[in-house]
Amino acid sequence: MTNNDVTSVNDGRNAEPSIEVEIKARVEKTFQNTLATLKELVSIPSVAWESHDLSRVRESAERVAELARESGFDDVEILTADKPDGGQGMPAVVARKHPRPGYPTVLLYAHHDVQPVGDVADWDTDPWVATEVGDRLYGRGAADDKAGLMTHLASVDALHSVLGEELGIGITLFIEGEEEAGSPSFGNFLATYQDKLQADAIVVADSSNWRAGVPALTTSLRGVISGTVTVRTLDHALHSGMFGGPLVDANTAMVRVLASLHDDEGSVAVDGLVRGPDPELDYAEEDFRTDAGALEDFRLTGKGSISSRLWNQPALSIIGMDITSVDQSSNTMASTARARVSLRLAPGQDPHEAHRLLEEHLTQNAPWGSTVEYDGGEAGQPFESDVTSGPAQAVLESMKDAWNTEPVLMGMGGSIPFVASLTQTFPDAAILITGIEDPDTRAHSANESLFIPDFQRAIESEAFFMVRMNQSR
């Protein structure tokens, strides 16, 4: 099957009205049970970080495996792969319903691990107790990404219930267990289990809608690199009164180095980085300021449209610094300072080349002859999708049917580095990035939440999409 077969076989038509009505009825009938199961999953603190209880990640995987069996999957396994350092990765769930001859296979990806909650005092509700407040469900993982995995399970349940023996497509469920920890074993996992994960279309339910009530297909992702900057000005610390003036401390030199990374307008000042064109879709500044919680008098940085700055331009943040704390400070000149920088990359940018350009910039901007070293870390590839493919068009039509409004084609400023691994491993598969977050979700932050009406629509939409795939034999 080619990526255009869905459109050519379906001839652009919607799923049969009777099937659509039956799927909506099934999703509506089971929705409260689906929501209750999501709440149960939120109560499992499946944080895949070494500083947390990793047995809870295994517990989460075992519960997801049970749910996969209940949803009608034939082969259900909990699998792991080695990390590059030789340690074992976190448990993932892989479940399969095999296709009948001539039918395509759809892979449904989500992850069952979650971010740490941070300071519990910042939450308005218990982060491990899913709590409904109005039309939103609050809790860690309520949206990112346990709602994604429940979208998969509930849509497959609806599909089995309505189509029965007419269901011919293969469906593979792949629920990862360490995405929030950087997917360290993902590459080895794909290499080890590639045969189990082969598919014609891959749905990655880990992105966002344009806003509550407006669905979106994510068509591009920025890549990401990060690294550590070390600045040295002295071979040992000195008394600031005895030696200050002819010499500067490493902290001061670090400030000058880091300040060179942006120009006066706030655009990244590293020469040679890729900058893409303005997208057709714009993000109104007023909406962006509201969604981001920008301070009233803070002037937005950079040049070009808001959507361009978010999706098609590089963005650099200082995400950590090792300097003397205020509480421990004294009149001492530090000899060494360190900082961690994170650089988001526009589609089309090679991350290894970006590491080289960033290192070159830092060393060339070493102030007063100080020593500046850059130690490059992660290197995540950016992503751009083909929205003309049959599966992509089928997703867009299905979203329109479920939400009764036109879906948006949007980029995302964030990065999902494993998407590049999927593209490399399965070059002929259509990669379709969906999700049920929205600008009010606050994923990774305190008070993460899910817009409940969109959760139900996402289940309907994914079931409609698989009906269309089933018609594309």
Side-chain angles (χ1 to χ4, degrees):
M1 170 187 156
T2 68
N3 284 346
N4 289 317
D5 284 347
V6 174
T7 300
S8 61
V9 172
N10 224 26
D11 198 28
R13 291 190 296 269
N14 293 341
E16 296 176 22
S18 59
I19 295 177
E20 185 174 296
V21 169
E22 288 182 59
I23 283 176
K24 282 180 174 286
R26 176 65 181 180
V27 172
E28 175 68 30
K29 179 180 179 181
T30 60
F31 186 69
Q32 288 306 313
N33 287 336
T34 301
L35 197 60
T37 304
L38 174 58
K39 292 178 181 179
E40 177 193 347
L41 291 175
V42 169
S43 72
I44 304 174
S46 50
V47 181
W49 293 25
E50 294 292 340
S51 56
H52 288 68
D53 182 0
L54 298 181
S55 70
R56 306 308 299 272
V57 184
R58 166 64 63 169
E59 176 188 346
S60 176
E62 290 172 349
R63 182 62 181 124
V64 172
E66 290 176 4
L67 293 170
R69 294 185 187 98
E70 293 170 6
S71 295
F73 284 95
D74 303 323
D75 299 334
V76 180
E77 301 174 277
I78 297 177
L79 303 172
T80 61
D82 290 340
K83 297 186 288 188
D85 63 7
Q88 190 177 67
M90 291 292 100
V93 177
V94 175
R96 294 189 291 167
K97 178 206 171 297
H98 299 282
R100 297 212 305 265
Y103 282 87
T105 294
V106 176
L107 186 146
L108 306 175
Y109 169 93
H111 61 87
H112 67 93
D113 67 303
V114 297
Q115 280 280 327
V117 300
D119 189 347
V120 177
D122 293 334
W123 288 74
D124 296 332
T125 63
D126 187 331
W128 302 120
V129 178
T131 306
E132 290 187 54
V133 180
D135 54 12
R136 302 193 75 91
L137 181 71
Y138 288 82
R140 177 57 87 224
D144 183 18
D145 189 29
K146 291 180 176 178
L149 77 87
M150 284 306 303
T151 296
H152 293 332
L153 291 171
S155 64
V156 171
D157 169 83
L159 203 65
H160 279 143
S161 175
V162 173
L163 291 187
E165 293 300 317
E166 295 179 25
L167 180 59
I169 61 169
I171 304 173
T172 300
L173 185 73
F174 175 23
I175 308 299
E176 189 192 355
E178 58 185 21
E179 193 274 343
E180 300 292 11
S183 301
S185 70
F186 196 88
N188 284 340
F189 195 96
L190 290 186
T192 303
Y193 305 112
Q194 181 174 346
D195 290 346
K196 296 177 183 289
L197 302 174
Q198 289 283 350
D200 298 282
I202 300 174
V203 179
V204 177
D206 193 20
S207 186
S208 177
N209 287 316
W210 181 237
R211 56 186 57 259
V214 181
L217 179 66
T218 298
T219 59
S220 69
L221 300 165
R222 286 194 292 199
V224 63
I225 63 170
S226 65
T228 301
V229 184
T230 303
V231 175
R232 295 182 178 87
T233 58
L234 308 164
D235 63 10
H236 64 280
L238 294 172
H239 188 294
S240 63
M242 297 287 290
F243 295 95
L247 296 173
V248 297
D249 59 277
N251 296 340
T252 299
M254 176 66 83
V255 169
R256 291 289 289 262
V257 171
L258 298 182
S260 75
L261 293 169
H262 293 86
D263 64 22
D264 290 342
E265 293 186 83
S267 294
V268 175
V270 178
D271 289 338
L273 292 175
V274 172
R275 287 170 167 79
D278 277 9
E280 293 183 9
L281 179 67
D282 196 16
Y283 196 159
E285 179 173 337
E286 182 179 353
D287 291 339
F288 173 76
R289 297 184 72 94
T290 299
D291 294 340
L295 297 179
E296 183 177 352
D297 295 328
F298 186 81
R299 180 172 60 85
L300 298 185
T301 52
K303 297 180 283 289
S305 67
I306 299 296
S307 54
S308 172
R309 283 179 258 178
L310 279 175
W311 306 338
N312 287 355
Q313 294 187 38
L316 190 145
S317 299
I318 313 303
I319 60 174
M321 293 186 71
D322 288 339
I323 62 174
T324 309
S325 70
V326 172
D327 290 342
Q328 298 297 319
S329 61
S330 64
N331 288 320
T332 302
M333 300 170 64
S335 62
T336 304
R338 295 199 312 159
R340 176 65 59 82
V341 297
S342 175
L343 177 61
R344 302 287 174 167
L345 310 173
Q349 175 73 66
D350 175 68
H352 301 289
E353 173 67 3
H355 270 308
R356 188 190 68 78
L357 293 170
L358 180 56
E359 180 177 22
E360 185 177 271
H361 175 96
L362 290 165
T363 54
Q364 289 180 352
N365 284 272
W368 307 300
S370 57
T371 299
V372 176
E373 298 174 354
Y374 175 73
D375 182 17
E378 69 175 321
Q381 291 277 355
F383 167 79
E384 284 185 287
S385 68
D386 175 14
V387 298
T388 67
S389 73
Q393 290 299 306
V395 164
L396 294 171
E397 287 294 325
S398 299
M399 287 178 170
K400 182 178 179 180
D401 289 348
W403 269 268
N404 197 28
T405 190
E406 288 289 342
V408 168
L409 296 175
M410 61 176 276
M412 176 170 280
S415 308
I416 309 179
F418 68 77
V419 169
S421 299
L422 289 173
T423 302
Q424 293 164 4
T425 306
F426 307 112
D428 296 327
I431 309 293
L432 309 164
I433 303 177
T434 65
I436 38 71
E437 298 175 25
D438 63 77
D440 291 329
T441 289
R442 300 189 184 185
H444 293 204
S445 180
N447 300 312
E448 176 185 344
S449 70
L450 168 73
F451 184 57
I452 296 172
D454 278 355
F455 180 37
Q456 182 169 341
R457 296 178 186 122
I459 296 168
E460 295 171 358
S461 175
E462 190 165 286
F464 296 162
F465 164 70
M466 288 190 284
V467 168
R468 286 183 164 86
M469 293 297 289
N470 199 62
Q471 296 170 340
S472 69
R473 183 169 55 147

